[in-house]
Amino acid sequence: SASAGCPPAPDGGAPPDPYAGEGYANTEEPGFVSTAARPLSTFSADVDTASYANLRRMVRDGAWPADIPAGAVRTEELLNYFDYRYAPPEGDDLFGISAEMADCPWNPDTKLLVMGFATTPAETAPETGSNLVFLIDVSGSMADADKLPLLQEAFATLVQGLGENDRVSLVTYSGEERVVLEGASGADRQRILRAVGNLRAEGSTNGEAGLRTAYDVAERNFVEGGVNRIVMASDGDLNVGMASEDELHDFVDGRRGHGVYLSVLGFGTGNYQDAKMEVLADHGDGSYHYIDCAEEARRVLGRNLLANFTPLADDVKLQLEFNPAQVKGYRLIGYANRTMADEDFRNDGADAGELCAGAELTVAYEVVLTDEGRRREGDEPWLTCAVRYQPAGERAGEAPAEQRFAVGRESWSAEPGDDWSLAAAVIEFGMLVRGSEFVGTATADGAAALAENSASALDATDRTPRRELVDLIRQASRNAAAFDGVVAAS
C-alpha cells in the first residue's frame, strides 16, 4: 500500500501505482441537468458505506491524490456512513423526510439541498429469529492480517448479539466449498467461535461454488417472518468459476427474490476487487461494507446487528420532480451507478435498493434557482420528492406504496444546521480526493471547518465519527502537500 513517505521511482518519475491490483468500476459524476429539458431525477436507494471505510484506509496509508482510483470515491456512500439526527416517521409513514437548502459552500452560483430519509429503528430482532449464513472466503489471498484474522477477531463481537431463536450457518470456500456449521443455535456461542477460529486460508477462490452452497443452506433453514440473510466476507479476488461482474450480476439476479438477502463485507488491500463486491450486494438486495480495522468490524457486526439486518422495504426508489418555474437546473451528487429510467419508478419489476429498520439515507443536490425561485415569498414548491417501495419483513406481500414530500421555501436556511454542515463537508472531501470537475472553490480547510462545526453541538459519543472526518480531511491535505513537494522536486 501507499505510505506518507512513498518515494519517487528510481528514475525520478512517479512511484508505482499502489492500487494497480485493485478493481474499481469508474462511473462519471452526474452533471448539471436543465429542468426544462428533464424535470425528473430518478434513482435507487443505496445505504452502503464501503467507499468511506475504503477511502479512509487509503488516506491513512498516505495515498497521494493521483493514487486514489476515482471509482473508489462514491459520494453517496461517504454521506451514508454517518449518523444524522433526521426526524423519525410520523403516523403510518415509513419514512421521516426532511430537507434543508442553503448557499453552496463551493459555488456562489448554486444552492446545496440536503434531504434526509429516516426509518424507525427495530427495538429488537424479530421474535421469529434469524437465519444467518456466513459465507467466508478462506482462499490463500485471505491470509493477510487485515483479512481473515480481522474477521475472526470481529466474530467475538457478533455472537454477543445472537440468541437461542437465531440460527447460524458457516460456509467456506477456496478451491472447494465446505459447510462448517449448519443451523447452529445462536446461544451456542462457543461452538460458533470455535468453528470460526479454526478457519485457515489456503488455495484458490471458487466464489461461484460458495455462493451456490450458501443460498442452498439459507433456503434449507429459511425462517418465515424472520431475517434470512447471507453475509459474504471476502477480498473479492474470485479466480475460479464466475469471475466477471456480469456473471456475478446474472447469478445473484437469478437467486434473489425468494426472501434471502445477500450482504457483503470487504477486506484487504493490494488485490481488493471492489467492483465485484458492490455488484454482489447491489443485486443481492443487501448492503456493502468495507472492514478496514477492528473498530469498523465492531461497528458493522456488533451494533444492533440483527435489528439492522431486519428488512423493512425492498426496491426503494426515489423520484424528484423539479419545478422549472423555480429551479433552472440541478446536479445529483453521487448515486452515479444507481440512476434509473424515469419510467422504471413505477415499474415494480425494476430492481432497486433494500432498506432495513433504523436505516438513514442522505441525498444531496446542487441546485440553480430561477429568479422566481430565489424570491423569499411564494407558495409554489421548488420540487416534489416521491419514494416508492415494496413492503418487506412482516409486511411482505403487501402492495407497493408511495410517500410524497414537497420542498419549498420553508426548507431555506441562512444558517444551516449540523447535519447540513456534515453533508457539505463530506461532499467537499469527496470532490477533493476524486479530483471532481465540480470542486469549485472547495478546500480542505473549508471542508474540515464544516465538519468541525457539525460536531460542536453533539455529545462525545456522537461527535467521534465527525471528528474522525476532520482528521481524515487534514491527513488527505498533508498527503496532497507531500505529493506536490515530490512533483516539484522531480
Side-chain angles (χ1 to χ4, degrees), residues 251-336:
F251 173 78
V252 177
D253 267 358
R255 296 299 295 253
R256 73 157 189 264
H258 302 288
V260 175
Y261 298 81
L262 172 64
S263 290
V264 177
L265 307 179
F267 290 81
T269 64
N271 63 332
Y272 186 63
Q273 301 303 309
D274 171 83
K276 293 177 183 179
M277 304 295 274
E278 187 184 18
V279 163
L280 287 168
D282 285 352
H283 294 277
D285 287 340
S287 55
Y288 171 32
H289 308 277
Y290 179 82
I291 309 298
D292 62 329
C293 59
E295 179 56 38
E296 184 67 13
R298 287 189 288 270
R299 179 182 184 272
V300 172
L301 295 175
R303 191 181 65 183
N304 302 323
L305 171 75
L306 296 183
N308 290 337
F309 275 1
T310 303
L312 188 67
D314 289 338
D315 295 331
V316 181
K317 306 167 190 174
L318 295 94
Q319 186 171 78
L320 280 71
E321 182 170 6
F322 290 86
N323 181 348
Q326 306 289 318
V327 176
K328 183 178 181 180
Y330 60 87
R331 177 176 78 90
L332 174 63
I333 298 173
Y335 297 93

Side-chain angles (χ1 to χ4, degrees), residues 130-134 166-172 178-186 188 191-192 195-196 212-222:
S130 63
N131 161 33
L132 297 178
V133 179
F134 291 93
D166 302 315
R167 293 293 175 264
V168 175
S169 301
L170 180 61
V171 177
T172 63
R178 188 162 69 97
V179 180
V180 178
L181 281 179
E182 181 165 352
S185 168
D188 197 351
R191 182 186 175 198
I192 297 169
V196 173
R212 291 186 189 279
T213 301
Y215 271 104
D216 291 344
V217 169
E219 289 166 5
R220 283 200 299 268
N221 292 276
F222 193 85

Side-chain angles (χ1 to χ4, degrees), residues 32-35 322 327-331 366-370:
F32 279 96
V33 176
S34 163
T35 306
F322 290 86
V327 176
K328 183 178 181 180
Y330 60 87
R331 177 176 78 90
E366 201 171 340
V367 174
V368 181
L369 295 176
T370 64

